[in-house]
Amino acid sequence: DTGIGISKQDKNKLFKNFSQIDQSATKKYSGTGLGLAISQRLVSMMGGEIQVNSIKNKTTTFSFELKLNKAKVEKSIHIIDKKAAVNKIKSHIKVLVAEDNKSNQKLMEFILKKLKVTFDIAQNGEEAVKMYDNDSYHIIFMDCQMPVLNGFDATKQIRSIEEKKDQKPVPIIALTANALKGDEEKCRSYGMDDYISKPFKLSLIEDAIKKWI
């Protein structure tokens, strides 16, 4: 740490909950006073102890040693095999995207091409319902606010179709610019399975596909 350093008399304050060296209202460095206390507890749980070496107004060095068992090679092989299996599954799935915004359509096209999955794009909720009724999809990314028919009502209609046909519900992931308390609960109440707030990125879409397929 190349910050303010710590005097000898202040070292006993370091690892206490909510304790900070500088308690003034105009202090330069912010924080909750929990970081070192949590770090010390984690190291202690693993059988180690944190050491501190500091010079006032210069530098502070924190260090610890842990005795850990070596990881077994079999675990690493299992992880590699799992990733390969996921990649193989992804290449065979078909995705429906319901999104009216052209920029977001382009972004989803880019992401899904990167992930090497087949996909269709619906311009609104009504179109998404018709496409789902006439085709088969493994997962749907549904924008909540769309013209003609919004994502909430489109989801209700899709669930109604599945019930009439007695078929397994398709995972529906809400895409919304809203990130307020209660929005996720609202999405689930309409029959959606998960929730991604905009702006979304490749890793979020990929994680959703891996999670639900």
Side-chain angles (χ1 to χ4, degrees):
D1 185 329
T2 57
I4 59 176
I6 304 162
S7 63
K8 288 183 179 179
Q9 58 267 35
D10 283 332
K11 284 185 180 179
N12 64 342
K13 300 179 183 177
L14 282 176
F15 299 102
K16 295 179 180 178
N17 289 343
F18 305 107
S19 175
Q20 291 179 295
I21 303 302
D22 184 1
Q23 297 289 346
S24 65
T26 57
K27 61 185 180 182
K28 183 178 179 182
Y29 301 97
S30 62
T32 61
L34 285 172
L36 287 174
I38 293 170
S39 298
Q40 184 190 48
R41 186 170 181 181
L42 289 171
V43 171
S44 177
M45 289 168 67
M46 292 187 283
E49 184 179 349
I50 287 185
Q51 306 291 334
V52 56
N53 184 17
S54 184
I55 302 173
K56 179 68 175 175
N57 297 323
K58 289 191 177 181
T59 63
T60 303
T61 301
F62 296 93
S63 60
F64 61 89
E65 291 184 5
L66 298 176
K67 291 183 179 180
L68 304 173
N69 295 325
K70 289 184 178 180
K72 294 181 180 180
V73 177
E74 290 79 11
K75 290 184 179 180
S76 299
I77 293 173
H78 174 70
I79 292 169
I80 293 169
D81 289 346
K82 189 175 180 181
K83 286 182 177 179
V86 169
N87 289 332
K88 188 175 182 180
I89 291 170
K90 284 197 301 181
S91 65
H92 290 87
I93 69 170
K94 191 172 184 179
V95 176
L96 175 60
V97 179
E99 172 65 71
D100 66 303
N101 183 277
K102 297 298 181 184
S103 298
N104 287 331
Q105 287 179 7
K106 290 291 184 184
L107 178 57
M108 283 298 286
E109 283 182 24
F110 172 80
I111 289 173
L112 295 173
K113 284 178 180 177
K114 274 278 187 182
L115 296 176
K116 298 179 180 178
V117 299
T118 304
F119 63 92
D120 290 323
I121 294 181
Q123 305 295 324
N124 54 63
E126 185 177 82
E127 191 174 315
V129 173
K130 289 178 180 177
M131 292 171 71
Y132 179 72
D133 196 18
N134 295 319
D135 207 337
S136 178
Y137 296 95
H138 296 90
I139 189 169
I140 298 174
F141 290 96
M142 181 77 75
D143 182 29
C144 292
Q145 304 299 327
M146 290 183 290
V148 187
L149 187 68
N150 64 48
F152 300 114
D153 292 331
T155 298
K156 286 181 69 176
Q157 290 190 25
I158 287 172
R159 295 305 184 216
S160 178
I161 290 170
E162 291 168 339
E163 192 173 342
K164 288 176 182 176
K165 292 183 177 181
D166 193 27
Q167 61 189 37
K168 184 180 178 181
V170 62
I172 299 179
I173 315 301
L175 298 176
T176 176
N178 296 327
L180 302 176
K181 186 177 181 181
D183 287 330
E184 183 173 0
E185 289 77 9
K186 181 180 178 181
C187 291
R188 294 186 187 280
S189 71
Y190 276 86
M192 296 173 172
D193 298 286
D194 214 337
Y195 173 98
I196 295 176
S197 59
K198 298 177 183 177
F200 49 83
K201 53 186 179 180
L202 187 147
S203 60
L204 293 176
I205 302 300
E206 183 176 26
D207 288 345
I209 292 173
K210 287 179 180 178
K211 178 181 177 180
W212 290 101
I213 299 180

